Amino acid sequence: MAFLAMDDSFIAGLPKAELHMHLEGSFEPEQMFAVARRNKADIPFASAEDVRRAYRFSNLQDFLDIYYRSADVLRVEEDFYDLALAYLKRAADDNVRHAEIFFDPQTHTARGVAFATVADGILHALKDGEARFAITSKLILCFLRHLSEAEAFATLKQAEPYFDRIAGVGLDSSELGHPPSKFARVFAAARSHGLKLVAHAGEEGPASYVWEALDLLHVDRIDHGNRSLDDPRLVARLVAGQMTLTVCPLSNLKLCVVKDLKDHPLKRMLDLGLRATVNSDDPAYFGGHVNANFAAVAQALALGKSDLATLAKNSFLGSFLGDAEKARHLAAVEAYAAAPGTNRIRREP
Ligand code: HPA
Ligand code: ZN
């Protein structure tokens, strides 16, 4: 049946922030081969097409297994620089004006790559990316939750010289069996250093993990948060606190968190008054960058111009930018949404 969907050109021109993107998840197969050649590192695939064919996941762990293996070819500062610069260039093409980028230092330090090699390469690219592509950014260090609290503390210690250049800490990797409570003391230490706090919760894990992220970790944002909708009391709490949820539709589809995008909770989240945002999570693995995520949910959930503008405004409101920068970006979204010629609709077959 035909239905109306926003023209993708409205999405393309919409100023937006991306708040949930793992740098290692932006590693495109072609770049992976180029870096592997440079480092004389082995890849267990014959070609980029072969790599893409392997990207069929039935859950989060399926994906993580291949994601950590691919990161193995990243060895020297230039590799991390190239990875971050390529993401910023691609994000700027999607009219991302500001990106808050996750990186997983433990994936690299466990292989003998120094924390400084990773952080220096990324930070250098963030600086160059701002000058070259007019995109601002902040860096968020994620702890791997399948590893121990002691290993997270050791990573926080390694990050100490970078506290002035790292905006915050996050929590990612295998969610089930690794509740936020496991990292309450590490997050308290990070907070005492003035770092912002985010955590993946309620992607595969239950609503109780979202409660823990709020009450035990004292997070500033929830990454994913889909399962919050199982608990009306939690929804009320998230709405009352205007807690940002960094939602990742194509990731949810690829990792079987939803069976079909038509079942995706994003529209329900907006209608409940939750501060939801749209993000790509791991764009090289899940079939697209942020605009592809916007376009896919806009079509599947018949989102209108005002929903899309709300999502873009939420991305800036939920960012760690200062008030003046937020106000400037919010005004740009409003001016864009109000401009004539951004209101076209097309009929889908
Ligand atoms: N969930 C948990 N850990 C991750 C993800 C994710 O979606 N992407 C990269 N690391
Ligand atoms: Zn994620």
Side-chain angles (χ1 to χ4, degrees), residues 64 83 88 115 142 144 161 184 212 242 249 262 293-294 332 336 339:
L64 291 170
L83 182 62
L88 292 171
F115 185 95
C142 284
L144 299 182
E212 285 191 13
Q242 279 300 283
K262 290 196 165 44
N293 277 270
F294 266 95
Y336 175 77

Side-chain angles (χ1 to χ4, degrees), residues 58 69 104 109 167 178 184 194 214 224 252 261:
S58 41
R69 206 170 53 184
D104 287 343
T109 54
H178 302 285
L214 295 174
H224 294 294
N252 293 157
L261 276 184

